[in-house]
Amino acid sequence: MRIRILLAMFGLLGQSLPAQTWTLPQGTTVKDAGPRTYRFTVEYNTANTKGETMRRQRITGEYTRGLAGGEVMWKNVTEAVADGATAPYAAPQKRDFMEGFRYRNDPASTVQPEFFKGFPAMAVLERNLVWDTGMMEYFGQNSFEHLKLNEPYHTLSNQDIKLPDVGTFRNRDVILEWIGRSRRNGQDCALIKYQAFFNPLEVAVGGMTLKGRSDYWGEIWVSLDTKQIEYGTIYESVVGEMKPPGQDTTQVLNIFRSGTLEPVAGK
């Protein structure tokens, strides 16, 4: 009996030791076996300095990649709104201007002045859907060559971004870290953490201005076989001084959002 216990212990040790020599596949590209659809849901909470929630918004959309020519597409984008911390959401309102919105999945193109020419000026949450999915795919699918287990990798530092019709944003220091292996949707995945804190931002939309900072972070599950995103999360806290349209006084606001990106079964 004692010998069996010792052998079992050695077997467990043998399973844990290979983690010290884990490596990510090198020189591989994303495998698109036709269109694949994801559901992206993000909830926004706008609060004051006392933590009292004044407004909640939930935006949801279906994002399809793997289309001809390397294009991606959005459909069924809706937004629901609620006042306060506990009131039920009103019926979701469809964002028709995003129905069938199609483009090449190149993050650099999504910050060009004419990219969102069909979007209303106040459609900031809808623009964020595009920027967030592009960010997750960029971080998750273009970093294997740089990542080593449990070693932070600084990928962007003091990068200024002009956001069309919205404002400016500076990525002060974006850090990626491969923190382990996991399984999602039957796929062996690399689990990659990302974070960027103390990022200055300025927003000017519809006569409203906001000056403050953004802290964002999240995790991405990336298939080791296909490099497809199997699951992703995003969290962001924005704290800043807001000046409403036509007013000289400012309010200090905290906008906290959390989102999940996941494949839609059967699509």
Side-chain angles (χ1 to χ4, degrees):
M1 179 63 69
R2 182 178 178 184
I3 293 175
R4 290 180 181 176
I5 293 175
L6 288 172
L7 288 174
M9 290 174 62
F10 280 121
L12 290 173
L13 288 172
Q15 292 175 15
S16 62
L17 285 175
Q20 300 174 5
T21 58
W22 282 356
T23 57
L24 292 171
Q26 303 295 298
T28 59
T29 59
V30 182
K31 299 176 183 176
D32 280 307
R36 190 184 197 199
T37 298
Y38 295 79
R39 178 172 292 108
F40 194 19
T41 302
V42 187
E43 296 191 351
Y44 290 73
N45 291 267
T46 301
N48 60 22
T49 56
K50 299 177 182 179
E52 298 168 337
T53 300
M54 298 175 289
R55 181 180 173 87
R56 297 171 5 252
Q57 296 160 277
R58 178 189 293 148
I59 189 161
T60 301
E62 292 184 2
Y63 167 75
T64 301
R65 59 163 292 133
L67 300 174
E71 290 191 324
V72 300
M73 182 179 68
W74 287 92
K75 62 180 180 179
N76 297 327
V77 176
T78 63
E79 181 186 355
V81 178
D83 292 325
T86 59
Y89 279 102
Q93 301 298 308
K94 192 167 184 179
R95 295 297 183 251
D96 291 330
F97 60 88
M98 281 198 75
E99 190 68 19
F101 180 54
R102 189 164 175 156
Y103 55 94
R104 283 190 59 83
N105 195 21
D106 170 22
S109 69
T110 66
V111 293
Q112 297 305 309
E114 297 300 315
F115 185 80
F116 293 106
K117 61 183 179 181
F119 282 43
M122 298 298 289
V124 177
L125 275 59
E126 293 81 359
R127 288 171 170 84
N128 280 341
L129 292 176
V130 173
W131 291 327
D132 290 341
T133 50
M135 176 192 71
M136 285 191 197
E137 291 189 337
Y138 179 78
F139 287 166
Q141 296 172 337
N142 294 278
S143 58
F144 277 19
E145 282 72 22
H146 305 288
L147 297 180
K148 297 181 181 179
L149 187 64
N150 296 327
E151 293 187 15
Y153 170 66
H154 297 259
T155 180
L156 298 172
S157 296
N158 292 319
Q159 181 201 54
D160 291 313
I161 303 174
K162 171 97 173 143
L163 305 174
D165 302 317
V166 175
T168 59
F169 188 94
R170 172 179 290 183
N171 276 305
R172 187 178 296 279
D173 185 22
V174 180
I175 301 174
L176 305 181
E177 187 173 353
W178 173 33
I179 59 175
R181 294 178 63 171
S182 183
R183 283 187 67 82
R184 284 275 185 177
N185 306 316
Q187 294 285 318
D188 289 324
C189 296
L191 178 54
I192 299 172
K193 178 178 72 173
Y194 65 92
Q195 65 181 50
F197 299 131
F198 304 108
N199 308 293
L201 85 159
E202 294 188 14
V203 174
V205 176
M208 181 276 292
T209 62
L210 174 69
K211 293 185 178 181
R213 84 157 200 252
S214 158
D215 302 307
Y216 69 88
W217 64 97
E219 302 85 27
I220 310 168
W221 281 253
V222 187
S223 169
L224 294 171
D225 178 44
T226 67
K227 266 193 172 180
Q228 293 278 357
I229 305 297
E230 296 299 333
Y231 194 78
T233 64
I234 183 170
Y235 305 93
E236 183 179 26
S237 178
V238 173
V239 179
E241 295 182 343
M242 184 197 74
K243 185 180 293 185
Q247 298 186 24
D248 292 327
T249 58
T250 61
Q251 308 173 34
V252 178
L253 292 181
N254 183 191
I255 303 171
F256 181 81
R257 67 189 186 111
S258 58
T260 56
L261 177 72
E262 54 187 333
V264 179
K267 291 189 177 182

